[in-house]
Amino acid sequence: DADVTQTPRNRITKTGKRIMLECSQTKGHDRMYWYRQDPGLGLRLIYYSFDVKDINKGEISDGYSVSRQAQAKFSLSLESAIPNQTALYFCATSDPRGNTQYFGPGTRLTVL
Amino acid sequence: GQQVMQIPQYQHVQEGEDFTTYCNSSTTLSNIQWYKQRPGGHPVFLIQLVKSGEVKKQKRLTFQFGEAKKNSSLHITATQTTDVGTYFCAGLITNAGKSTFGDGTTLTVKP
């Protein structure tokens, strides 16, 4: 949905570099999520945040950190990128009632 | 660990054939949602089921939620090439606060 934007859309970086992926939303949702998608492995949750002061680890948080700068912004950082973090990364938002998630267009990250 | 299982992982059909993907949870779900991801795209919400035994239809797509609210299915009648993509279920486990996605079923349709 255009209401959820991610930058950059594509990124190639080198092992050991720090990288930040950014997500912004205009849906007014409190809940935001970061997922990683690898072929055949579906969507794996990295971190999620139910409001600005609430940050929670997902199933694969090692090697990642997040920052919830505002209700509308949720950033994912790789402190020292490694090749097995090469993947497609999605940000998503949801409202608390039905939990329907709205995904951004994704960031394709390649770590060489 | 994985609490929402989805099968099959891949399904190849001839155009016009039917297709079904199944989602199973080890625990009771408050609701289940279905998403479709077109090749090169992002997951897009299709539908949500909340009630035990609920059945909903969207044109050629039929969604069911089991009586025990632990399983669900998506059935496509007479597939078309526009149906290609990966279909994900996402189950909201009671009191978990967030949904858990299945691994998805990737559908390819041969014209």
Side-chain angles (χ1 to χ4, degrees), chain B residues 36-92:
Chain B
K36 178 182 179 180
Q37 182 180 21
R38 295 181 185 274
H42 59 276
V44 175
F45 173 76
L46 292 177
I47 207 161
Q48 176 172 285
L49 305 171
V50 178
K51 299 177 182 177
S52 169
E54 190 169 14
V55 178
K56 288 188 176 181
K57 293 190 176 184
Q58 289 180 350
K59 298 183 180 178
R60 295 178 293 104
L61 278 60
T62 302
F63 303 85
Q64 294 188 335
F65 201 9
E67 294 291 340
K69 300 182 72 173
K70 288 186 175 182
N71 55 75
S72 181
S73 65
L74 157 59
H75 179 83
I76 302 178
T77 303
T79 55
Q80 299 176 358
T81 55
T82 53
D83 294 325
V84 298
T86 300
Y87 293 85
F88 293 98
C89 63
L92 178 61

Side-chain angles (χ1 to χ4, degrees), chain B residues 25-31 65 68-70 91-95:
Chain B
S25 171
S26 54
T27 57
T28 303
L29 302 171
S30 295
N31 66 49
F65 201 9
K69 300 182 72 173
K70 288 186 175 182
L92 178 61
I93 295 168
T94 304
N95 298 324

Side-chain angles (χ1 to χ4, degrees), chain A residues 1 31 35 37 40-43 45 48 50 90 98-101 103-105, chain B residues 9-10 31 33 35 37 41-43 45 48 88 92 97-99 101-103:
Chain A
D1 289 25
R31 300 185 173 192
Y35 291 92
Q37 186 174 38
L41 292 179
L43 295 161
L45 184 63
Y48 62 103
F50 281 177
F90 287 108
N99 215 48
T100 300
Q101 297 195 28
F103 286 80
Chain B
Q9 187 175 8
Y10 299 97
N31 66 49
Q33 298 161 351
Y35 295 78
Q37 182 180 21
H42 59 276
F45 173 76
Q48 176 172 285
F88 293 98
L92 178 61
K98 60 173 180 61
S99 294
F101 280 82
D103 285 341

Side-chain angles (χ1 to χ4, degrees), chain A residues 3-104:
Chain A
D3 299 325
V4 184
T5 57
Q6 292 183 236
T7 56
R9 294 294 312 278
N10 290 281
R11 180 73 183 266
I12 300 174
T13 191
K14 294 183 178 180
T15 297
K17 294 291 187 182
R18 184 179 188 275
I19 184 168
M20 179 182 287
L21 309 182
E22 299 189 356
C23 177
S24 294
Q25 53 112 347
T26 59
K27 298 189 78 68
H29 289 164
D30 286 326
R31 300 185 173 192
M32 298 187 74
Y33 310 80
W34 274 104
Y35 291 92
R36 166 179 174 159
Q37 186 174 38
D38 298 276
L41 292 179
L43 295 161
R44 293 187 290 168
L45 184 63
I46 307 172
Y47 271 95
Y48 62 103
S49 169
F50 281 177
D51 65 42
V52 175
K53 296 182 180 179
D54 176 76
I55 303 288
N56 303 281
K57 292 183 177 180
E59 57 185 303
I60 56 162
S61 60
D62 288 349
Y64 302 95
S65 63
V66 290
S67 173
R68 184 79 184 268
Q69 300 96 319
Q71 185 203 39
K73 296 184 182 295
F74 193 33
S75 300
L76 176 71
S77 293
L78 286 67
E79 297 301 325
S80 180
I82 56 177
N84 77 2
Q85 290 178 314
T86 293
L88 184 57
Y89 290 85
F90 287 108
C91 172
T93 74
S94 73
D95 68 72
R97 293 173 298 172
N99 215 48
T100 300
Q101 297 195 28
Y102 299 87
F103 286 80

